[in-house]
Amino acid sequence: MKWGTYNGKAVERFVLTNAKETRVAVLTLGGIVQEFSVVRNGYRENMVVNFDSVEDYVKNPYQICKQIGRVAGRIKDGQFMLNGQTVNVPTNEGPNTLHGGDHGTSTQLFEGYQTADNEVTLTLRMKATTDGFPGNAVVSINYLLTDDDRLTLTYDVTAQDETVYDPTLHIYWQLPENLQDTELRLNALRHMVVDGAKLPTGELEPVSGAFDFTTTRSLSEAVQNLRQEQEQQGYDDGFNVEPSMTTPVAEITEHQRNLKVRVFSDRNGLIVFTADPKNGDHDAAGVYNSLATEPQTLPDALHHPEFGEIRLRAGEHKTMRMAFQIVDAE
């Protein structure tokens, strides 16, 4: 169904449902997950931060539940080597490039077709003339909602030229204010070391203190620990996770609604980001009510090849997967 317009073109909204009345809504604008709601005790609970209009998504700077590309995270100095040549891409965070620049996939309209009540596929032709990244490529993203309340995203990309691609879904989980009654566990033994611009240094250090989520811990207490230990207001941090589509790389337990979010990924990086993306004043004051979990290859792999390979040869095809599941808290 038509859900609004963007740059004079229709934005479509596809609704996925399963046997448990769980509902996922996907927009062709930026591949946004506009709704991921479950029914518990007769009430529908939307688990993700969302807006009710195209205009709100466009003007908000927090990339709320959008598909990020071509490259998630930061690229140092907006440049990298590709096929022996130095490539420059548009910068949008000082001298660096963040989340694909200002014309990345989060700002573009996908084509969508729904094949079943619980499945939709979005397709985008990524062009150098649109986003400023080298080469052209075609990506299809399949969203599949199964009866165990699991949303699986499968990315199929084919490079027409030499290019780079490492996407994420910048999904925000709606949580209580100040992250009360919320716990987090990560399947991560190492944390990324970054400089003052949040750029990876290439070092991975064993998790400890505020960065140790190897056992389930209070998220609000962890934020307080972070402020005391690191003099850092909130989390915007990368973790080296054990890739798995069967064992969660992250689990968020929200006790007020007695629900748990499980995150799965076949890549080795996860960014966790605390925010109040709908209230800039609260966010600046560190009054958070959501957590973004962003599966990807460890950030800035273009400058740190040991993190993973995200370059694609002309004609190369690659598949990546992530999943998000809502279950009752134990």
Side-chain angles (χ1 to χ4, degrees):
M1 62 171 283
K2 181 178 178 180
W3 198 72
T5 59
Y6 175 66
N7 290 340
K9 297 181 180 180
V11 175
E12 300 291 329
R13 183 177 187 263
F14 297 94
V15 179
L16 314 182
T17 57
N18 68 10
K20 295 167 66 176
E21 298 184 76
T22 296
R23 197 161 63 206
V24 171
V26 179
L27 305 181
T28 53
L29 171 61
I32 292 168
V33 173
Q34 193 259 342
E35 179 183 349
F36 189 171
S37 65
V38 294
V39 177
R40 294 293 190 272
N41 301 316
Y43 292 94
R44 182 168 293 280
E45 301 282 357
N46 191 5
M47 301 298 295
V48 298
V49 177
N50 73 346
F51 287 116
D52 294 322
S53 74
V54 168
E55 292 74 22
D56 284 333
Y57 279 109
V58 170
K59 70 184 182 182
N60 186 281
Y62 285 80
Q63 306 281 12
I64 293 178
C65 298
K66 295 180 178 181
Q67 293 290 350
I68 302 299
R70 298 191 195 188
V71 176
R74 294 173 174 86
I75 299 174
K76 183 179 180 180
D77 297 328
Q79 66 175 219
F80 50 89
M81 298 297 294
L82 184 65
N83 197 23
Q85 302 293 320
T86 299
V87 173
N88 291 281
V89 294
T91 57
N92 61 336
E93 190 185 59
N96 307 311
T97 301
L98 175 64
H99 290 332
D102 288 338
H103 301 285
T105 56
S106 65
T107 69
Q108 298 182 43
L109 277 177
F110 289 71
E111 295 179 1
Y113 59 94
Q114 189 159 1
T115 53
D117 288 345
N118 68 331
E119 186 174 11
V120 67
T121 299
L122 302 186
T123 301
L124 179 67
R125 297 182 180 278
M126 298 182 290
K127 299 179 180 179
T129 54
T130 300
D131 63 14
F133 273 69
N136 297 335
V138 179
V139 62
S140 292
I141 308 174
N142 178 264
Y143 300 70
L144 177 65
L145 175 66
T146 46
D147 286 341
D148 56 357
D149 291 342
R150 175 172 167 139
L151 175 66
T152 300
L153 276 63
T154 302
Y155 298 75
D156 281 300
V157 61
T158 301
Q160 297 170 330
D161 312 284
E162 297 270 351
T163 189
V164 293
Y165 188 62
D166 188 54
T168 192
L169 178 67
H170 205 299
I171 195 162
Y172 285 87
W173 303 103
Q174 184 68 61
L175 302 172
E177 188 165 297
N178 278 318
L179 309 175
Q180 293 299 315
D181 302 314
T182 301
E183 295 174 332
L184 177 65
R185 186 183 69 81
L186 301 177
N187 189 9
L189 297 178
R190 296 192 296 175
H191 168 259
M192 295 189 69
V193 179
V194 296
D195 64 18
K198 302 299 289 187
L199 289 164
T201 65
E203 182 184 356
L204 297 172
E205 62 181 10
V207 294
S208 64
F211 299 121
D212 186 357
F213 290 95
T214 51
T215 58
T216 301
R217 64 185 295 190
S218 163
L219 188 53
S220 61
E221 291 179 6
V223 169
Q224 292 304 317
N225 186 192
L226 182 74
R227 290 171 181 172
Q228 295 166 4
E229 181 185 288
Q230 304 290 330
E231 297 183 354
Q232 183 177 320
Q233 182 85 303
Y235 287 97
D236 181 8
D237 288 276
F239 293 84
N240 181 200
V241 297
E242 184 65 33
S244 177
M245 293 299 292
T246 56
T247 300
V249 300
E251 286 188 327
I252 307 165
T253 304
E254 208 256 86
H255 290 287
Q256 290 186 15
R257 292 184 291 186
N258 197 36
L259 293 171
K260 179 179 291 188
V261 177
R262 291 174 173 163
V263 181
F264 304 85
S265 173
D266 64 2
R267 286 172 290 164
N268 65 355
L270 181 75
I271 304 298
V272 296
F273 178 50
T274 49
D276 182 342
K278 296 175 75 170
N279 187 319
D281 291 339
H282 282 185
D283 189 67
V287 182
Y288 304 130
N289 66 356
S290 69
L291 182 72
T293 54
E294 308 161 44
Q296 60 179 93
T297 304
L298 285 167
D300 208 19
L302 291 169
H303 292 114
H304 303 286
E306 67 276 16
F307 288 173
E309 182 56 79
I310 68 170
R311 294 171 177 84
L312 298 175
R313 300 181 302 274
E316 185 176 353
H317 173 262
K318 190 174 183 179
T319 300
M320 291 156 277
R321 292 183 177 88
M322 64 180 70
F324 309 96
Q325 185 180 27
I326 312 299
V327 299
D328 294 333
E330 294 133 357

